[in-house]
């Protein structure tokens, strides 16, 4: 069982940056592929990024490459998402998730993830 708690969201202006954190409680954090998803009002949840348990393979949708950076610190049981040059289109609830299986690959499909946090809200104003 893994419990995930996100933090770091907030209300910012266009062009600013945020670093989101996801603290994991439970064993074997370093065995799970981890991901960030987001859901804007009235839209479906979408994958933002994921990172393999080995910390060497990541995924970003083409539309988000260059502004989003995922990382993890297995010693601290924490996942991060650095977001630069925020725009109002980035306004959403951001969720972290841990994969169903140990030693899994980085995948963008939601059904690959079993454990989810409660989310942290990011609001960007123009």
């Amino acid at each position: 069982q893994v419990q995930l708690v996100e933090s770091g969201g907030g209300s910012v202006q266009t062009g600013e940056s945020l670093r989101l954190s996801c603290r994991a409680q439970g064993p074997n954090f370093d065995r799970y592929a981890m991901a960030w998803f987001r859901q804007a009002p009235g839209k479906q949840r979408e994958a933002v990024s994921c990172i393999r348990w080995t910390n060497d393979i990541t995924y970003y949708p083409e539309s988000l490459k260059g502004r989003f950076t995922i990382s993890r610190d297995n010693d601290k049981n924490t996942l991060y998402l650095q977001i630069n040059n925020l725009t109002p289109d980035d306004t959403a609830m951001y969720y972290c998730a841990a994969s169903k299986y140990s030693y899994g690959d980085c995948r963008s499909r939601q059904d690959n993830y079993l454990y989810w946090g409660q989310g942290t809200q990011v609001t960007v104003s123009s």
Side-chain angles (χ1 to χ4, degrees):
Q1 185 79 15
V2 177
Q3 293 182 318
L4 304 172
V5 180
E6 302 95 333
S7 62
S11 296
V12 298
Q13 300 287 321
T14 295
E16 294 185 350
S17 299
L18 283 173
R19 188 174 82 153
L20 308 183
S21 299
C22 172
R23 182 82 160 87
Q25 297 177 331
N28 304 320
F29 170 78
D30 58 350
R31 298 181 184 180
Y32 293 96
M34 299 293 296
W36 287 98
F37 290 80
R38 69 182 183 182
Q39 187 167 20
K43 295 187 178 180
Q44 291 187 335
R45 190 176 296 185
E46 63 174 348
V48 171
S49 187
C50 66
I51 186 166
R52 198 165 179 255
W53 62 278
T54 51
N55 214 0
D56 60 353
I57 295 177
T58 59
Y59 159 83
Y60 304 93
E62 280 297 320
S63 61
L64 300 182
K65 283 184 178 179
R67 295 194 301 117
F68 288 67
T69 304
I70 191 171
S71 61
R72 65 191 295 165
D73 185 335
N74 288 339
D75 291 336
K76 295 182 179 179
N77 278 16
T78 303
L79 176 73
Y80 301 100
L81 183 70
Q82 177 71 37
I83 313 174
N84 296 326
N85 195 21
L86 281 153
T87 75
D89 288 341
D90 296 318
T91 295
M93 185 71 80
Y94 285 72
Y95 300 91
C96 67
S99 60
K100 281 182 181 177
Y101 308 109
S102 298
Y103 308 115
D105 286 328
C106 175
R107 302 187 189 278
S108 61
R109 288 174 57 95
Q110 296 185 45
D111 59 8
N112 189 60
Y113 300 90
L114 179 60
Y115 305 103
W116 294 80
Q118 294 299 306
T120 186
Q121 177 68 38
V122 173
T123 302
V124 186
S125 57
S126 56

